[in-house]
Each structure stands twice: as C-alpha cells, then as structure tokens.
Amino acid sequence: MKYNLMIGIAFFVCLFIFLPTVHADDGKMYQVHAETIEFMDAPSEDATILGELKKDYKVTIFEESNGWGKTFYNGEQAWIALHHLSAVDDIQTEPENEESDTEDTEDTENQQIETETAAEINTTSAESSTNGVLYRVQASAVNARYAPDKNAAVVTQLNHGEKVTIFEESYGWGKTYYHDEEVWIALYLLDKDNESTISDDVSEENETIESSETAEENQNEASEADTEQKEDETENEETESKEDKPEVQAEQSSEHPLADRHFVIDPGHGGKDPGAVGSEVYEKTLALTTAKKLGDQLRQQGASVTFTREDDTYLSLEERANISNAADTDAFISLHYNASEDPAASGVETFYKNESESQMLAQSVQTSLMNHVDLHDRGAQQADFQVLKDNQQTAILIELGFISNAEEQQVIQTDHYQENATKGIVAGLETYFN
C-alpha cells in the first residue's frame, strides 16, 4: 500500500513538472474579472510584484504556463495568474503598427461604449498635470496601453477622428488618463488638433469632456470616422502592402512617396558622450543638426518620425535600440560622423546588421548618398554595432564623413553638405520603399 502511494505521488509530481507550456505567438486577449490583479516578475505567487491591473481592463497573454500567463509591463515580461482573467472571444491582438482594421459598429450599444471611452480617456487624475496638448486620432483605430511599449497590455481603444489630451511625451509615446490611471498611445498615430493646448488657467470642467457635449460630438465624429474609414478601406482594397502595412495610392506617391511610413532617427552620442572630437566641432552636435534636417525632409514626404533624442541628452545604446523596438518602425536610422588616427581617412559609409532587408536598405541609401555628396564612397557593409544587432527592426547606421580629416571637417559641418546628405538619405529610402 505504501509502495503504491509513493508511486502515485511520484506520478503527479512528474505530471506537474512536465506539463506543456502553451505558446500563443500572436497573443490572446483576456479581461480582468477580479477587482485587481498583480503583475509578477515570475510565474509564482512569491515573485516580486511589478504593478497591477483593475477590473474590466484588457490584457494580451502571449504564453501560458502552469496557470500563469505571460505579458509585458514597462517593456519587461510579466506574469498574471490566469484564474483572475476571462478570455475575450472574437478579439485578436492588433497588428504591430498599433492600427487595427476595426469593423463598423452599427448597433446602439457599441456606439455608446465608444462614446464613453472617448470621454473617459481624457479624464485626468487629481495628481496629473493641468497642461496638455489636444490631439486627434489619424489612424483607423489606436490602442491605449498600460505602458509606453507596443507589447504592453491594451487598456482601451480610440477610433479615427476622436480627440485625446496628451499630458506627457516620452520616446514617441504620449501619456493620457483612463479611469484615473495613466495610459500611453503611440504619438505617430495622432495629429495635433490645430495646435490646441490646455493652459494652466483652464478649469477642471474644461479639462474633462462634459458628457452631454461629448456624446453629441463623438457621435458626429464616429459617423465621420466610419465614412472616412470606409473610404480608406475602399482605397486600400486593391493595394498591396509591404509587411502588411498600407501604402499610398499611385497618385499620392509622387507627392508623398513615404506616406504612412514611420522612421526612428537616432542622432549618435549626446550629453556626456561627445563622440568624435574635431578641432572645431563635436560629433554629437553634427549628428543632431543633421538628424533634425532629415526629420524635416521625411515629414515633408508624408512620413512620421520619432527621435531617440532631440537635444544634448545622453542615452545608452540599449535605450536607443529599445525606443526602436517599442514602436512600429519601418526603419531605424542612426546618424554619425567618423574619426580615425589616420588624418587622411575620408568618406561616407553605411552599416547594416546581419539581415537581408537591412542590407538592401543600406545599399540603397549608400548609393543615393553618393549621388548627392562629393565625398569618397566607402560602401555599405555589415557591422555588429549594438544599436543594430539589438534592433528588431530594419536598421542602418550611417557615417557621414570624417571629423578627424581637417579638410573634410570644413565640408561636413556646413548646412549645404548636411542638406544634400539628408536629401540623399531620403531618396535612398524612397527607392527602397517604393
């Protein structure tokens, strides 16, 4: 009897240990049915608590293991006990570009939910800043997430044309509030609403959307959004996309050849890290001025842009790669100026990570650059720079000339050179993406 009991115990122990781990590559949407649940740093009740979600919030589970579900919190993996969650039927995770092809909501109940969401998401907590900038959703739909990370839990959703007040910006994400909790939205999916801002003197009534006015306004916006969305869907039915992302129509291509593209521009170095030091200028300064010129030109071509830094700020290489990985990025472009112990070293070169798409992009940009600037062509080549190898997106790093070469330094710090160089980069991007 004792022997059989021991065998039985051993069987159940082995069964527990070797229970299969269920992977959900695309993720599965759940809704919280407990009053609050906690994010843990490991699938154990004894693990460290990272944060919490409240009742009715939605969360995407990417992996299940022994009663726990893996998701992400502030860019790091986190675990939630599955018995606190209920599967949400017929809801799938959105594409990585934060846009989702939502079906038209025609019944009264769904319209009411959308109206309430638009009102609630602009409500600030008592501790939040009274300053904010009003934005309008330009995508068909955008997700408000629990953290500024594309893998973070989805809290709610806003549709095309709806307005949202952004109180803080961080690495391409904007912070607003939903049920007095902070949520984050990717800024490149929003447009500023006539550059409107909320001043310090605005009353609490004006900081929130009044229910009667909001209901009427949002119903009108929902109607306009449905019409515009149907038009967009009709326009895009016959177009093919690269990596499932919408492309502009043929007639738009000539005017805005990079419309609907999103680029992360990384000005190298910054802050305490000056980069290469020339006799007259720091690399970090040249990289930033060139990056801003590149950003302006890309926006003129219809693209949206996120900068890893916009001033003389220090960022680690890991942070730069994380900014790219946290956003839906068509290409990551790191800008640098070179230096060498050989004062005669000169020229422009473009590096790519060990991946075919990055290689093709690097070659396209390098070829175009050499058609726009009169410097030595050092070619396109593979390199294991951390901002490239840790980057999950198509990524290149461009060295735009040598600060250590006295003659070349005089050239590369001029506006004329930087304007031509950025035109070359943009032309190379247009060739690659069209």
Side-chain angles (χ1 to χ4, degrees):
M1 180 68 178
K2 183 177 180 181
Y3 177 77
N4 291 337
L5 179 60
M6 292 176 65
I7 291 177
I9 293 173
F11 172 79
F12 283 109
V13 169
C14 291
L15 182 63
F16 179 82
I17 292 174
F18 293 106
L19 274 174
T21 297
V22 179
H23 294 271
D25 293 336
D26 296 327
K28 184 176 181 181
M29 188 77 79
Y30 286 81
Q31 188 166 15
V32 179
H33 60 69
E35 289 301 318
T36 59
I37 61 171
E38 295 167 336
F39 289 106
M40 315 297 285
D41 69 349
S44 169
E45 293 183 356
D46 297 327
T48 302
I49 298 173
L50 301 176
E52 66 176 26
L53 275 180
K54 294 185 177 180
K55 187 176 182 179
D56 296 330
Y57 277 23
K58 294 184 177 68
V59 60
T60 304
I61 298 298
F62 296 92
E63 180 181 322
E64 298 178 14
S65 178
N66 298 329
W68 291 84
K70 185 177 80 172
T71 185
F72 292 86
Y73 178 80
N74 284 340
E76 301 293 334
Q77 74 173 29
W79 295 84
I80 298 174
L82 290 175
H83 66 270
H84 292 309
L85 307 175
S86 298
V88 179
D89 295 331
D90 301 325
I91 296 181
Q92 298 176 347
T93 57
E94 70 293 343
E96 290 184 349
N97 66 354
E98 295 289 326
E99 297 184 31
S100 58
D101 297 326
T102 54
E103 297 180 354
D104 296 335
T105 53
E106 299 176 351
D107 59 84
T108 305
E109 180 180 355
N110 287 341
Q111 289 179 358
Q112 181 180 357
I113 292 173
E114 291 175 4
T115 301
E116 292 173 351
T117 298
E120 291 166 348
I121 201 168
N122 286 287
T123 304
T124 64
S125 68
E127 299 177 356
S128 70
S129 169
T130 57
N131 290 325
V133 178
L134 191 62
Y135 284 80
R136 186 184 295 270
V137 176
Q138 64 170 337
S140 59
V142 300
N143 294 308
R145 296 181 177 274
Y146 198 77
D149 188 301
K150 68 177 182 180
N151 292 320
V154 176
V155 178
T156 189
Q157 190 177 79
L158 281 178
N159 293 321
H160 177 77
E162 291 181 339
K163 297 178 182 179
V164 59
T165 303
I166 298 299
F167 296 92
E168 180 182 327
E169 298 182 10
S170 178
Y171 300 142
W173 292 80
K175 183 174 77 174
T176 185
Y177 292 87
Y178 178 73
H179 287 315
D180 290 333
E181 296 287 340
E182 68 176 49
V183 294
W184 295 82
I185 299 174
L187 288 174
Y188 75 95
L189 299 172
L190 308 175
D191 274 334
K192 285 187 179 179
D193 188 58
N194 297 325
E195 304 296 328
S196 300
T197 58
I198 298 175
S199 66
D200 290 325
D201 299 328
V202 177
S203 67
E204 183 176 350
E205 290 181 352
N206 290 332
E207 288 180 298
T208 59
I209 299 179
E210 297 179 353
S211 58
S212 60
E213 295 177 353
T214 301
E216 180 179 356
E217 178 182 345
N218 281 331
Q219 286 174 357
N220 292 335
E221 289 179 3
S223 176
E224 294 173 1
D226 286 343
T227 301
E228 293 176 11
Q229 183 176 341
K230 289 175 182 177
E231 293 174 354
D232 289 342
E233 291 173 351
T234 301
E235 291 174 354
N236 290 329
E237 278 180 356
E238 297 180 356
T239 61
E240 295 181 355
S241 62
K242 183 179 181 66
E243 297 181 0
D244 297 327
K245 296 174 185 176
E247 290 188 1
V248 292
Q249 292 184 323
E251 60 267 27
Q252 291 179 311
S253 297
S254 60
E255 297 179 2
H256 301 292
L258 293 174
D260 296 323
R261 300 293 179 184
H262 176 224
F263 300 99
V264 172
I265 302 177
D266 173 44
H269 308 283
K272 65 182 181 181
D273 175 16
V277 179
S279 59
E280 300 178 5
V281 68
Y282 290 148
E283 178 185 0
K284 67 176 184 178
T285 304
L286 286 182
L288 184 58
T289 57
T290 307
K292 290 182 176 180
K293 288 179 170 61
L294 177 59
D296 289 342
Q297 292 191 29
L298 286 172
R299 289 186 176 117
Q300 290 173 13
Q301 302 307 313
S304 56
V305 174
T306 297
F307 291 97
T308 56
R309 68 179 180 96
E310 296 187 68
D311 52 26
D312 190 17
T313 301
Y314 172 78
L315 287 175
S316 68
L317 299 177
E318 181 181 11
E319 288 176 301
R320 295 169 192 269
N322 286 343
I323 291 170
S324 178
N325 293 334
D328 177 57
T329 308
D330 286 288
F332 171 89
I333 306 165
S334 189
L335 300 179
H336 291 258
Y337 286 84
N338 221 333
S340 172
E341 294 181 359
D342 178 5
S346 65
V348 174
E349 54 193 330
T350 304
F351 295 95
Y352 55 88
K353 64 177 184 175
N354 188 19
E355 182 257 337
S356 60
E357 290 297 326
S358 296
Q359 179 179 2
M360 288 188 288
L361 175 60
Q363 290 171 340
S364 177
V365 168
Q366 179 69 17
T367 299
S368 180
L369 265 170
M370 301 322 299
N371 290 331
H372 286 77
V373 300
D374 188 21
L375 294 185
H376 174 60
D377 183 0
R378 297 173 67 92
Q381 51 193 302
Q382 191 272 332
D384 290 329
F385 297 127
Q386 186 173 346
V387 291
L388 298 182
K389 69 180 182 179
D390 289 353
N391 210 307
Q392 299 169 8
Q393 319 293 350
T394 300
I396 59 175
L397 184 150
I398 309 172
E399 295 279 5
L400 287 165
F402 280 75
I403 290 178
S404 55
N405 182 313
E407 182 179 349
E408 196 157 280
Q409 179 185 234
Q410 295 298 316
V411 174
I412 62 180
Q413 61 183 315
T414 64
D415 285 338
H416 177 73
Y417 173 82
Q418 293 177 34
E419 288 287 350
N420 285 339
T422 51
K423 287 178 182 177
I425 295 171
V426 172
L429 293 171
E430 291 175 3
T431 299
Y432 174 79
F433 285 107
N434 293 290

